[in-house]
Amino acid sequence: MSISIGNIDNHVEKFKNNRAYLNHVEISIKNNKVAKNTSAKPYDLSVNMDFHTKSNVLQDDEYYENIGDSLFFIENRVLIPMYNLFAENFVARVYFNCHGELDQDRIEISSHIHFENKGAVNMGTIMEKVTLHLNPYVMLANSITCVSLKGISYKLSKIKFDMTCTIKDITGLAKAKGNAQLRSAWFIRIQHLVKKVLECKDFKFEFVMPVLNGQFGLNILSQVINVREEIKLKRD
């Protein structure tokens, strides 16, 4: 799968003209889902980039050349392998050092298992989809920092995985082998979290479980408690 972040030379030229110092770029990859009976132009993916910069910071030509090289590197060594792994929407945040080179030890990625617009309300439906999509996250278990279950309208909408990877981690995915024991342990822990979600009676909810060295926190669970009230105003 080929993913392009656009005309890199144009991006670099813009940074150069603004004397911009690039701190990080946040890149969002989304599969296109065009509704039926629309005239929308079809495409497979959208790539949205937010460049976080400081302006009027004088840099030499080598700095901007390094930025260009880094963006090309991100295309081929981060975006393409991660999309091939997830085949789903994800967000990657990549940081740069003072020389315009990307920080290879800090690639922050968020991806999720999505449960469509109507959400999911029963254990069977939820865990069936978890079974289909869990493997990539188990392969990155040592990089994952937390797992979040979010929902609205009393239904689970997504299971989100936040991770901090290195380029070495991503490169190693090509040779990674499945770990059936770890996968089973993760499945059980997520199932336990889903049970809590199904017991929750909040209109909107979020449960967050930290992950350390590939293992879920034992009894540490953060929860966002939402209170919703509907009020009818008295009118004269």
Side-chain angles (χ1 to χ4, degrees):
M1 179 71 189
S2 178
I3 297 177
S4 172
I5 61 175
N7 192 319
I8 291 175
D9 289 340
N10 285 350
H11 298 324
V12 172
E13 189 64 26
K14 188 173 182 180
F15 298 147
K16 193 172 182 179
N17 290 339
N18 292 321
R19 295 195 297 178
Y21 175 86
L22 183 57
N23 179 261
H24 68 273
V25 58
E26 187 168 292
I27 306 171
S28 176
I29 306 293
K30 292 185 178 181
N31 285 312
N32 180 42
K33 294 182 179 180
V34 177
K36 294 181 179 180
N37 302 320
T38 69
S39 58
K41 186 176 180 180
Y43 57 90
D44 294 321
L45 291 173
S46 65
V47 180
N48 185 70
M49 295 172 291
D50 290 326
F51 292 99
H52 294 253
T53 68
K54 294 179 180 178
S55 60
N56 295 320
V57 181
L58 188 61
Q59 300 290 340
D60 57 22
D61 288 341
E62 185 177 359
Y63 173 84
Y64 295 106
E65 289 175 5
N66 289 340
I67 290 291
D69 292 341
S70 295
L71 292 176
F72 181 78
F73 187 92
I74 291 166
E75 276 187 349
N76 293 280
R77 299 289 294 277
V78 178
L79 301 184
I80 292 174
M82 296 312 289
Y83 183 79
N84 288 341
L85 179 68
F86 296 133
E88 287 284 350
N89 301 346
F90 69 92
V91 176
R93 179 179 290 181
V94 184
Y95 291 82
F96 298 82
N97 64 22
C98 60
H99 304 293
E101 301 164 340
L102 78 158
D103 185 345
Q104 297 196 20
D105 294 323
R106 188 186 178 188
I107 312 292
E108 297 177 355
I109 295 174
S110 294
S111 183
H112 62 264
I113 300 172
H114 182 56
F115 292 95
E116 308 303 336
N117 294 333
K118 294 182 179 179
V121 292
N122 68 78
M123 180 70 77
T125 301
I126 294 170
M127 296 314 297
E128 181 180 358
K129 192 156 190 179
V130 169
T131 300
L132 291 174
H133 295 275
L134 186 59
N135 280 347
Y137 302 106
V138 175
M139 292 171 67
L140 286 162
N142 287 327
S143 300
I144 291 176
T145 56
C146 69
V147 176
S148 309
L149 285 78
K150 298 183 178 183
I152 194 167
S153 298
Y154 309 102
K155 298 174 183 179
L156 179 66
S157 58
K158 68 174 67 174
I159 301 177
K160 181 168 169 278
F161 301 81
D162 292 320
M163 60 201 83
T164 301
C165 305
T166 67
I167 291 296
K168 186 177 180 180
D169 293 333
I170 297 172
T171 302
L173 290 172
K175 299 179 180 179
K177 296 180 179 180
N179 185 325
Q181 185 176 357
L182 183 61
R183 187 184 188 282
S184 178
W186 271 58
F187 183 89
I188 291 170
R189 292 298 284 167
I190 291 175
Q191 189 175 45
H192 175 72
L193 290 172
V194 170
K195 183 180 178 182
K196 286 189 172 294
V197 164
L198 296 179
E199 293 171 350
C200 176
K201 304 301 180 183
D202 294 337
F203 175 81
K204 182 180 179 183
F205 57 83
E206 180 179 359
F207 292 87
V208 183
M209 177 70 78
V211 179
L212 181 64
N213 297 326
Q215 302 295 325
F216 280 86
L218 295 178
N219 294 305
I220 305 172
L221 180 65
S222 300
Q223 179 181 357
V224 177
I225 299 174
N226 174 262
V227 177
R228 174 186 169 90
E229 295 185 7
E230 295 181 353
I231 300 173
K232 289 185 177 180
L233 299 176
K234 293 181 179 181
R235 304 183 185 279
D236 296 331

